[in-house]
Amino acid sequence: MSRTRSSWSPKQPTNYHHRRNYHQSTEDDVKGGRGGLNGNNNALEWRLCGRSGLIKPPRAHYDNVSGMIVLNMDHFCPWVANTIGYANYRYFLLMLFWTFVGCAYVVLMLTPRVYYYGIGSKLYILVIYVTAFSFSVVLTMFLAFHSFLISTGQVVCSM
C-alpha cells in the first residue's frame, strides 16, 4: 500500500532539524549507541568506514573499484562492470537466469543437428554448441550457488 497525499496530516512531526548532516557525523555518534542495538558491539551496529570516513550501515562494505560504500555488497561483477549489492542483486540474478535460458535454448536447438551429423558438421556449429553447453553448465552452478545464498540470507562477502 502506498502513501498518498490524503493519508498525510499536518499533525505528523516534520521537524528534522535535530538531525545533523550525514557527512558531519563523528565517531562518537556511532559509538555512542545512535545506530547499534543497545550500544553493543555487534554486526548490526553502524560504524565508520576506515577508507572513506563516512558512516557505514550494517552489512555494508567499501568497494575499492567504485570508491563507494555499497549496502549488502555481494561482489564486483566484471560482466556487469559494477558492484553487485542491494540495489541491483535482482537484476544480476535475472541476467544469470536469462543468459542460462538462452544458452540452454541454443543447446537444445543444435543437439539434433550435432547428433545427426556428428563431428562431420560444420566447425562453427560445433564451436557454438560446445560454448553454449559450457556456459549453461557454469551458469547452472552460479544460479544454484546464488539460490543457496538467497535462501540462507548471505552474500559472498560475508562467507
Side-chain angles (χ1 to χ4, degrees):
M1 185 165 103
S2 64
R3 290 185 78 142
T4 60
R5 224 168 222 267
S6 61
S7 67
W8 182 82
S9 69
K11 294 178 183 176
Q12 291 177 341
T14 57
N15 186 7
Y16 297 108
H17 299 291
H18 66 280
R19 296 182 184 175
R20 291 197 288 186
N21 189 354
Y22 178 77
H23 299 287
Q24 293 176 350
S25 298
T26 63
E27 191 172 346
D28 296 334
D29 292 339
V30 177
K31 288 185 179 176
R34 288 184 88 172
L37 290 177
N38 302 326
N40 295 336
N41 187 12
N42 58 24
L44 296 178
E45 188 171 312
W46 290 62
R47 56 201 187 277
L48 280 177
C49 177
R51 295 182 182 137
S52 66
L54 300 175
I55 293 180
K56 265 196 316 192
R59 298 187 71 177
H61 297 280
Y62 181 81
D63 179 33
N64 291 326
V65 178
S66 64
M68 296 174 52
I69 295 175
V70 180
L71 184 62
N72 208 10
M73 179 177 159
D74 192 69
H75 66 282
F76 180 81
C77 180
W79 305 108
V80 181
N82 199 0
T83 303
I84 306 301
Y86 178 78
N88 58 1
Y89 194 70
R90 171 187 175 199
Y91 303 108
F92 171 72
L93 286 177
L94 286 173
M95 182 203 68
L96 284 181
F97 175 74
W98 287 112
T99 307
F100 167 74
V101 168
C103 289
Y105 179 76
V106 169
V107 168
L108 288 175
M109 292 297 113
L110 288 180
T111 297
R113 180 178 175 95
V114 171
Y115 181 75
Y116 181 72
Y117 290 108
I119 301 296
S121 78
K122 303 206 179 205
L123 180 64
Y124 71 90
I125 298 290
L126 289 175
V127 169
I128 291 173
Y129 182 77
V130 170
T131 304
F133 183 77
S134 302
F135 272 124
S136 63
V137 169
V138 171
L139 288 170
T140 302
M141 290 187 281
F142 275 153
L143 283 171
F145 178 65
H146 282 283
S147 298
F148 166 74
L149 291 178
I150 289 172
S151 67
T152 57
Q154 297 179 33
V155 292
V156 174
C157 283
S158 67
M159 293 187 84

